[in-house]
Amino acid sequence: MFPAVAAGGVDGEEFAETWWGRAWLEALESTALDTARLARGRDYASGGHVGRITVAPGRISAPVTGSRPYPYRAELRLRPFSDAVWEAFLDGVAARPAHLAALLGRTLPRALAERGDETGVRLLPGPGDLVPRCSCPDRGHPCKHAAALCFQAARLLDADPFVLLLMRGRGERELLDELSRRNATHSADTERAARATLPVVPARAALQARELPPLPPPLTVPEHPGRPPVLPTADDPAVDPVAVELLAADAAARARACLAAAQAAAASPEHSGTAPREGLGAASRERSGDASPEHGSSPFPARTLWEDAIRLVAGAHPTSGLTASTREIYRGVAEATGRPVSDVARAVAAWRQGGAEGLDLLESTWDPPAGDFDRARSALSSADLPSLRPRHNHLTDADRGIQLRFGRDGRWYPYESDPGTEDWWPTGRADADPVGALTPLLATE
């Protein structure tokens, strides 16, 4: 069940931004017998007449309020896949890691969903596949209430294509568990096939003395840490798969940082003749907090429970939006730290803006010395930007709802609030130039 989608904006606004959301609307519009009813349904959707939406295998439904005081029950039906069709679909996805990665990123590849040329299955509805139903007396195909539901459902599909998969008969967790199992099986089969083709070397030839070539150079540090596989639902309620996946992703990120520190130490002039083993030892000392000044600061500084919780949440799927999984994580952090969920969301935004420095600026102020802070006001004035009132390390225009916060790292952190209030939220990226930090805020006014 999904909460009622907020009312739409101005006339002409698109209800679907993704290609699969638009394909969903086209499936109903292509068979509509009365375009006037479609236009009326669009107005209902824009006006917030569609209530809480329920999605189940084979149908999607919601109460829709019309001209009468009580709502009608509108429904859109879509035939679920049979077990044989699901087998073909899942096999096709498991054989293509890029498809699985796209689904985890809340994206539908066209080859997977529209044409079905790789799985033999068409996921999206075609013309006539969506069957509208409504409890109103209007016998139109569709009536304005079912059309309104179709428009709002397109918004749900934009944010979460797993809604479409649920209508076809399988829920998100069930699908991810099955795809994880099939992906592991597919990888094992591929590995066995590769081992079967290895050449056979006689033991006498392998043990014969010979000059060995030099060892290859060490592998470069990957640009990004790897993502852990999706874990199946655990039978033990004490085990939270989402939390385990989050910790595994964090461990991968820390391992990459440790490796980068080790290679940097090995490449430094003072270690020019040192073996890589000693470089790794230096990184290990840094991680444990025993690093001396000549070895640099630790890549893993000590943090409070609140700081480390926010760091973990901020690094979890930073581009996937506020999904059901992240909402659950936010609630868990709020409960564990005794903070409201809104504080968690605000702190995550601050961490993504500037890491530990961004979080510190969110929760505390300081008095910067004369210099860069004072010169920033002159720079803003020279650029014909609004005059901001200084207080501590803040430059604020409360009437416009804009603010710059000066960090100890010498950067300016932009904040926004509703005009006349003090509900400040981190917005945009930190910038060493106050003009560069403030200009994007003014562009959104």
Side-chain angles (χ1 to χ4, degrees):
M1 183 173 290
F2 295 85
V5 183
V10 299
D11 293 340
E13 179 186 14
E14 291 293 334
F15 272 81
E17 297 180 357
T18 61
W19 71 267
W20 59 87
R22 292 190 293 270
W24 165 273
L25 291 177
E26 291 170 1
L28 188 66
E29 292 174 342
S30 61
T31 56
L33 301 180
D34 188 346
T35 56
R37 285 187 173 90
L38 285 179
R40 186 63 173 155
R42 185 186 184 92
D43 292 341
Y44 273 18
S46 299
H49 290 242
V50 181
R52 187 170 294 182
I53 297 177
T54 301
V55 183
R59 67 180 183 276
I60 182 170
S61 60
V64 181
T65 304
S67 56
R68 297 186 180 183
Y70 57 87
Y72 294 108
R73 192 71 183 175
E75 183 178 88
L76 295 170
R77 297 182 181 179
L78 178 65
R79 184 185 299 275
F81 289 155
S82 65
D83 289 343
V85 173
W86 271 115
E87 287 294 314
F89 178 81
L90 292 172
D91 284 341
V93 175
R96 296 271 184 167
H99 286 349
L100 179 57
L103 286 176
L104 292 177
R106 296 297 192 272
T107 302
L108 278 180
R110 284 186 179 271
L112 178 64
E114 187 176 53
R115 299 189 300 273
D117 53 1
E118 296 176 4
T119 63
V121 179
R122 179 184 173 87
L123 184 59
L124 282 166
D129 289 345
L130 283 178
V131 181
R133 293 285 187 271
C134 186
S135 61
C136 73
D138 187 355
R139 298 299 95 188
H141 185 88
C143 70
K144 53 185 173 292
H145 311 103
L149 172 59
C150 184
F151 282 112
Q152 291 292 51
R155 286 179 168 171
L156 289 183
L157 288 174
D158 268 355
D160 188 358
F162 279 96
V163 169
L164 179 58
L165 291 161
L166 178 56
M167 289 192 70
R168 288 298 195 180
R170 301 284 177 94
E172 176 180 354
R173 177 52 59 182
E174 179 186 5
L175 279 173
L176 294 180
D177 290 348
E178 180 62 24
L179 286 172
S180 178
R181 184 186 65 80
R182 290 177 187 241
N183 187 55
T185 302
H186 184 268
S187 299
D189 291 342
T190 303
E191 185 177 351
R192 281 195 296 269
R195 284 200 302 266
T197 60
L198 292 177
V200 176
V201 179
R204 181 174 299 172
L207 296 175
Q208 190 174 14
R210 63 188 185 279
E211 183 179 354
L212 297 177
L215 292 175
L219 296 177
T220 58
V221 178
E223 184 177 357
H224 302 288
R227 299 296 306 180
V230 177
L231 300 178
T233 303
D235 296 331
D236 186 356
V239 179
D240 184 354
V242 175
V244 173
E245 293 167 15
L246 179 64
L247 292 174
D250 182 61
R254 286 178 168 240
R256 180 193 173 279
C258 185
L259 181 59
Q263 291 198 5
S268 64
E270 62 181 285
H271 294 89
S272 58
T274 304
R277 182 187 303 275
E278 295 184 20
L280 287 171
S284 178
R285 290 194 299 274
E286 288 182 279
R287 185 175 62 177
S288 65
D290 297 332
S292 57
E294 62 267 19
H295 288 107
S297 60
S298 169
F300 309 120
R303 304 193 189 281
T304 64
L305 172 64
W306 170 250
E307 291 172 339
D308 207 46
I310 295 304
R311 178 189 65 81
L312 281 168
V313 177
H317 308 293
T319 61
S320 61
L322 192 59
T323 64
S325 297
T326 55
R327 288 191 187 96
E328 188 64 29
I329 293 173
Y330 280 27
R331 286 192 290 268
V333 171
E335 182 179 351
T337 58
R339 300 277 194 109
V341 175
S342 59
D343 280 5
V344 176
R346 198 189 312 259
V348 168
W351 190 279
R352 288 175 176 168
Q353 186 186 57
E357 178 70 15
L359 183 60
D360 182 65
L361 285 176
L362 173 70
E363 301 187 329
S364 64
T365 59
W366 65 291
D367 293 317
D372 292 340
F373 188 80
D374 296 329
R375 284 192 292 270
R377 300 178 63 193
S378 300
L380 294 174
S381 177
S382 299
D384 293 329
L385 295 177
S387 176
L388 304 182
R389 180 174 59 84
R391 188 171 187 273
H392 298 299
N393 60 319
H394 297 178
L395 294 177
T396 307
D397 185 343
D399 292 335
R400 289 174 177 255
I402 57 177
Q403 184 182 84
L404 294 179
R405 298 188 181 187
F406 187 55
R408 291 180 174 86
D409 59 357
R411 295 192 298 168
W412 294 90
Y413 291 73
Y415 275 67
E416 278 187 328
S417 175
D418 289 334
T421 68
E422 293 293 327
D423 186 29
W424 297 104
W425 279 79
T427 304
R429 296 182 177 180
D431 198 318
D433 178 12
V435 176
L438 183 61
T439 302
L441 294 184
L442 300 175
T444 60
E445 288 187 342

